[in-house]
Amino acid sequence: MYTDEQYNGVLQQPGWTRANTDHLIELANKFDLRFVVMQDRWDKHIHGTRSVEDLKDRYYSIQYRLDKLRDSESEKPKRPLYDADHERLRKEQLEKLYSRTREEVEEEEYLIEELRKIEIRRKEREKKQQDLQRLIKAADQLTETGPSNKKKKASATKKKEEETRSWRIQDKPLNAGVSLRSAKTKQALQVRALISADRIN
């Protein structure tokens, strides 16, 4: 799987000897990466006690480093690095979950139900607020276009029409008087012209 040069160059790791690593690779090939079986068959007397996470962490770190060495031209190796700490935490949380007492389970169910009720009440309050906002908006629009406002607009329109009618009435006599004076002036000039012509004759 790896040469002496590769091992000495990139595969050494504190807490793992070459013999430990060789034994791990031997078990991985023999049991097809079934790490639970590998951990059961691990020789504790020679290589010390190792957990499943320890075996996975060491095996996948070897794979990661070899991929990185072989694919040195690419930015990232193809195989992701195994996170042993995350896996240990996940298993610890699962153990706590399955080891809960009946009282703890009932308390958790009660809290979940209360949380659900709180969420329902929150949504109802939001809906009421939205309905109230719509009512306020509708009332504002009704005030702007209500009967009193219409009466004010009609009164203003009527007043404007009366003012316009008054202006027209005032303008008519003035125009008629001017026209009458102009006609009388022309008639007087014509009479004077006739009198002057009669005298000459």
Side-chain angles (χ1 to χ4, degrees):
M1 183 176 183
Y2 47 79
T3 63
D4 292 339
E5 183 180 357
Q6 290 173 335
Y7 182 87
N8 295 326
V10 297
L11 299 182
Q12 294 188 54
Q13 181 174 320
W16 284 82
T17 64
R18 174 66 183 266
N20 298 153
T21 305
D22 291 343
H23 182 53
L24 172 65
I25 298 303
E26 179 185 353
L27 291 175
N29 293 331
K30 185 176 182 180
F31 296 107
D32 196 23
L33 297 182
R34 292 193 291 273
F35 287 95
V36 175
V37 179
M38 291 165 56
Q39 194 266 344
D40 181 68
R41 300 300 176 88
W42 181 263
D43 194 338
K44 302 178 180 63
H45 301 289
I46 299 177
H47 303 289
T49 302
R50 302 285 183 177
S51 66
V52 173
E53 289 74 34
D54 292 334
L55 300 182
K56 284 185 176 182
D57 182 42
R58 178 55 173 161
Y59 178 83
Y60 286 117
S61 68
I62 292 172
Q63 294 290 337
Y64 180 84
R65 294 175 188 180
L66 289 175
D67 288 345
K68 191 175 181 180
L69 183 64
R70 293 162 184 164
D71 302 333
S72 58
E73 296 181 357
S74 61
E75 295 181 0
K76 294 181 179 180
K78 298 177 182 179
R79 196 188 311 270
L81 185 61
Y82 176 76
D83 191 344
D85 293 334
H86 174 76
E87 184 66 14
R88 291 189 187 98
L89 180 61
R90 185 184 69 84
K91 287 188 175 182
E92 181 182 348
Q93 290 173 344
L94 283 174
E95 288 177 1
K96 289 181 179 180
L97 181 65
Y98 288 119
S99 62
R100 293 177 301 167
T101 63
R102 182 178 181 82
E103 289 77 13
E104 290 174 339
V105 172
E106 290 177 353
E107 182 182 3
E108 183 178 351
E109 291 175 351
Y110 169 77
L111 293 175
I112 292 174
E113 180 64 20
E114 288 298 312
L115 181 62
R116 187 185 68 82
K117 292 178 180 178
I118 291 172
E119 184 67 17
I120 291 174
R121 289 195 293 269
R122 182 185 66 82
K123 290 181 179 179
E124 289 177 350
R125 285 196 301 269
E126 290 179 354
K127 186 177 183 301
K128 288 180 180 179
Q129 289 177 355
Q130 292 174 357
D131 293 341
L132 181 61
Q133 290 295 329
R134 282 195 292 268
L135 289 174
I136 293 173
K137 187 176 181 180
D140 292 340
Q141 293 176 350
L142 184 61
T143 301
E144 293 175 357
T145 60
S148 59
N149 201 32
K150 289 182 178 179
K151 288 181 179 179
K152 289 180 181 179
K153 290 183 178 180
S155 177
T157 304
K158 185 176 180 181
K159 185 176 180 181
K160 187 174 181 181
E161 290 176 353
E162 289 177 353
E163 290 177 353
T164 305
R165 192 180 301 111
S166 175
W167 293 339
R168 289 176 181 174
I169 292 172
Q170 291 176 4
D171 288 344
K172 284 181 180 179
L174 180 61
N175 293 336
V178 172
S179 300
L180 182 60
R181 285 194 296 272
S182 178
K184 287 182 178 180
T185 302
K186 290 180 180 180
Q187 187 177 3
L189 290 174
Q190 290 175 357
V191 171
R192 287 178 183 177
L194 290 173
I195 293 172
S196 297
D198 183 62
R199 286 180 180 177
I200 291 172
N201 293 332

